[in-house]
């Protein structure tokens, strides 16, 4: 009787798993269709923008037109400088703050850490006006430093590294102290190497976010010499410039290709890093 009762349940579970997999595949196909259509337009002449022909001739002319229509070389350089500056500053500031919260006792520690976490609940758009006013008073408008300054201290990075540092045994601190290492040397030789997977995971998230960030760079930049890729693509694709979807698709593919290739190359490390970065 037990076997007979469990048999329909087993079949029901198999049917549910099958429907779940089918739903996942369907959502995946719906998600990837716009990307495939953009790739199609990028490699075909403008007359095939709204007309699909399987054996239509391929061309790279759209990429040459897009590259010559806007200074994408400068945009790539600005973007690389921006994300590099932000990432280095975030690693330094978040590491020092997380180490202090994890290993030191001082007055108001819990309150200060709660105030840091409040940043996670505030959308960056809420501080747009105040950030612009402060940057303007500092005389940094239309600079790469201005684009990165509001993001150089990350509450998420501090929280993630603090939770990681708390899992490291204090006996390692004692061993490092016996060897004559000070606090900073202990941090550099013990904590940072053990937290390397978390640094990789956080670095990938930070680079992805700031590579695609549009609103703040659009507000704070005025010239080609400082615009990142997202702002340059937005200006390039504005209606007053004339809309050629094949050229715009080629430009979009050029701007997103480095990030996509990087994710595909480091996909396994990305997933493993987040699995190891589980909060305990």
């Amino acid at each position: 009787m037990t076997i007979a009762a469990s048999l329909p349940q087993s079949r029901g579970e198999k049917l549910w798993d099958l429907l779940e997999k089918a739903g996942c595949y369907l959502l995946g196909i719906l998600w990837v269709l716009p990307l495939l259509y953009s790739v199609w337009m990028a490699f075909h002449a403008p007359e095939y923008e709204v007309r699909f022909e399987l054996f239509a001739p391929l061309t790279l002319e759209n990429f040459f037109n897009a590259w010559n229509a806007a200074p994408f070389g400068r945009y790539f350089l600005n973007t690389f400088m921006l994300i590099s500056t932000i990432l280095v500053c975030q690693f330094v500031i978040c590491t020092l703050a997380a180490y202090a919260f994890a290993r030191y006792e001082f007055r108001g520690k819990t309150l200060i850490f709660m105030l840091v976490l409040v940043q996670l609940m505030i959308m960056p758009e809420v501080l747009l006006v105040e950030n612009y006013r402060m940057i303007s008073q500092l005389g940094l408008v239309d600079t790469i430093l201005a684009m990165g300054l509001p993001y150089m201290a990350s509450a998420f990075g501090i929280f993630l590294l603090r939770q990681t540092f708390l899992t490291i045994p204090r006996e390692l601190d004692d061993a490092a102290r016996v060897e004559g290492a000070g606090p900073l040397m202990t941090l550099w030789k013990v904590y940072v190497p053990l937290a390397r997977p978390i640094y990789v995971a956080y670095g990938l998230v930070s680079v992805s976010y700031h590579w695609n960030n549009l609103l703040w760079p659009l507000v704070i930049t005025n010239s080609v010499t400082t615009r990142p890729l997202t702002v340059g693509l937005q200006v390039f694709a504005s209606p007053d410039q004339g809309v050629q979807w094949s050229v715009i698709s080629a430009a979009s593919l050029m701007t997103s290709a480095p990030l996509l290739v990087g994710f595909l190359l480091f996909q396994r490390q990305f997933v493993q890093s987040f699995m190891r970065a589980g909060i305990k």
Side-chain angles (χ1 to χ4, degrees), residues 37-197:
Y37 183 63
S38 178
V39 173
W40 165 266
M41 287 193 297
F43 286 97
H44 290 82
E47 55 265 24
Y48 295 102
E49 290 179 358
V50 294
R51 180 163 55 93
F52 178 78
E53 291 187 12
L54 184 60
F55 299 103
L58 300 177
T59 180
L60 295 176
E61 185 178 359
N62 296 323
F63 292 92
F64 291 110
N65 292 338
W67 185 268
N68 295 327
F72 279 101
R74 183 67 189 186
Y75 295 158
F76 272 105
L77 178 61
N78 294 339
T79 303
F80 177 77
M81 295 173 61
L82 173 63
I83 62 176
S84 300
T85 302
I86 293 176
L87 190 61
V88 170
C89 292
Q90 284 181 340
F91 278 168
V92 173
I93 295 175
C94 293
T95 298
L96 294 176
Y99 183 63
F101 283 123
R103 286 297 183 251
Y104 287 92
E105 297 295 333
F106 50 89
R107 182 176 298 178
K109 171 183 174 180
T110 303
L111 177 61
I112 296 175
F113 184 65
M114 292 177 62
L115 292 176
V116 171
L117 294 183
V118 168
Q119 182 187 349
L120 295 173
M121 309 175 192
I122 301 176
M123 298 296 293
E125 291 77 9
V126 176
L127 303 175
L128 197 66
V129 176
E130 290 300 324
N131 285 339
Y132 187 88
R133 183 180 301 169
M134 183 176 298
I135 295 297
S136 179
Q137 291 176 352
L138 293 174
L140 297 176
V141 176
D142 198 26
T143 61
I144 293 178
L145 180 61
M147 287 188 288
L149 198 57
Y151 302 99
M152 289 183 179
S154 170
F156 175 69
I158 295 173
F159 173 74
L160 189 64
L161 289 174
R162 172 188 176 270
Q163 298 302 112
T164 303
F165 290 165
L166 286 175
T167 63
I168 298 176
R170 286 185 176 270
E171 288 77 7
L172 296 179
D173 293 56
D174 298 335
R177 196 177 300 110
V178 170
E179 295 293 331
L184 291 180
M185 183 61 66
T186 303
L187 174 62
W188 178 251
K189 293 293 185 179
V190 177
Y191 284 80
V192 172
L194 291 176
R196 187 172 301 169

